[in-house]
Amino acid sequence: MMNSFFDPPERRGSDSIKWARYAGRDVLPMWVADMDFPAPPAVLAALQERVAHGIFGYAQATPQVVEAVVEHLRQAYDWAIEADWLLWLPGLVTGLNVACRSVSGRVLTATPVYPPFLSAPRLSGRALDTCALHCGETGWQWDWEALAASVHADSELFLLCHPHNPVGRAWNRDELLRLADFAERHDLVVCSDEIHCGLILDSGRRHVPFASLSPAAARRSITLMAPSKTYNLPGLGCAFAVIPDASLRRRFAAAMDGIVPHVNVLGLTACAAAYRDSADWHRELLEVLRGNRQQLENAVAALPGVRMTHVEATYLAWLDVRELGLPDPARHFEAHGLGLSDGKDFAAPGWLRLNFGCTPKMLEEALRRLTAAVRAAR
C-alpha cells in the first residue's frame, strides 16, 4: 500500500471546507464526501507539468482528454460512447441543475438522497415528486408501487442516483432494466448521477451505466460523471455529461448557455491523468476502503440502537440512529467529537451519513467516539 493512504498531509488549518467546519474544536469531520487522501501520483505529475507551462488561458478538452474519457468508459464498463456525446461541466451538481432546466415538466426522484437532488428542481422552478426507498432485511430496495404512484401525466425527468448516495447501493442490472422500462412507459428522461461509479467495493461487482442497458435507454439518458470522487479531485472542478440523443443534448446545451462557466484548465489535465494513468492507485484505494468498511460494519453491529446496511459502493455509510431517540442526532454526535452529515438534509430525519474515506487510524478513533456517543445516549 502507498504511504499516502496511511500518512496523508495535514488538512487542519488549510483551505479545506471539510476541516474548517470544526476549526478550533476537537471534532473529527466525517461529513462532506471528500476523502483525506492525496490525489494519485500520475495526477500530481500531470498537474505539475501543466503548471510549469505557465499560461492559463481559456481552455477546452483536448482530443487527448476526450480520448482518455472514452477509453476509460470502454475499458471499465464496456460502454462505447461517441466523443460528441460529451458536454463538459464544472461539477456534477451543475449537471443536475442543468438537467432540471432542460425539461419543462415535473421531476421525480427517490429518497433518501443527496441533497442537490431535492434542491435542483426547486431552484429550476420545477415541481418535485418523491417516493421513499424501502429498507428491509436484505437492505435498500426500490418500492415499485410507490414509484408508480409518484409519477404524474406531466412528469418529464427522473433523477437517479447510481451508485446511491447515501444508502450505498450499487443498483444491479435487473433493477436498472426495470427502471428503464418504467421510464419508457412514462416517457421520462433519466438523469443518472454516476459520480461514484469508480467506487464499487464488493468484489466481483461491476458498475453498469444506465445508458449502456439498451439503445432505448440511451436515447432517454443524461449520464453525469466526474473523476472527482474516485480520485479525490472535487476542488479541481471537472465533470461531464454523456448524452447520446442529439435532440436531448441540444436541450441540455441550451440550458447551459450563459450560466455554466468553462471547466477548470487544471481539472481537465487531472481528469485525463486519473482515467489514463492511475489504475494501480485506484486498486489500492479500493483495498483501503474495503478494510475501512469492514472495520465500520463490525463496530456498528456491536452497537445497540444503531444500524446500517452493507455498503456496496461509495465511501459513505448511512447510519440509522432513530432508536436512540435523540432530538438532534447530528448535534449529539458533534458534542462527542464526531461531525457527521445530518439525515434531515437527505429527507431522512434520524439518520446520519459517515464518510469513511480516511486513514484506518482516523477511522479507529472515530469509531471510539461513535461508541461513546451511543453509550451516552442510552
Side-chain angles (χ1 to χ4, degrees), residues 8 52 86 95-96 108 144 160 174 176 191 216 244 260 282 286-289 299-300 305 323 342 344 361 364 369 374:
L86 290 169
L96 292 172
L108 173 64
W144 299 106
L160 172 65
D174 288 343
L176 293 170
C191 178
V260 177
H282 181 223
L286 292 180
E287 286 304 308
V288 172
L289 294 179
V300 170
E323 286 184 20
D342 194 331
K344 289 188 296 185
K361 182 178 180 181
E364 183 179 354
R369 298 181 184 205
V374 171

Side-chain angles (χ1 to χ4, degrees), residues 109-112 130-134 140-143 146-147 150:
T109 196
T111 57
T130 64
C131 70
L133 296 171
H134 174 67
W140 289 91
Q141 306 290 338
W142 290 94
D143 184 333
L147 185 63
S150 299

Side-chain angles (χ1 to χ4, degrees), residues 312-341:
E312 297 175 346
T314 78
Y315 47 79
L316 305 166
W318 190 230
L319 306 180
D320 182 358
V321 298
R322 289 174 296 175
E323 286 184 20
L324 297 178
L326 297 166
D328 191 334
R331 180 164 295 184
H332 173 82
F333 282 84
E334 279 183 4
H336 288 82
L338 202 54
L340 307 176
S341 296

Side-chain angles (χ1 to χ4, degrees), residues 53-95:
H53 181 266
I55 300 176
F56 305 104
Y58 296 117
Q60 61 183 356
T62 65
Q64 292 79 12
V65 175
V66 172
E67 178 58 27
V69 171
V70 170
E71 185 61 15
H72 173 75
L73 297 182
R74 185 189 68 79
Q75 289 186 357
Y77 313 120
D78 196 25
W79 184 26
I81 73 164
E82 302 294 332
D84 63 2
W85 295 357
L86 290 169
L87 292 173
W88 294 88
L89 299 160
L92 190 130
V93 173
T94 300

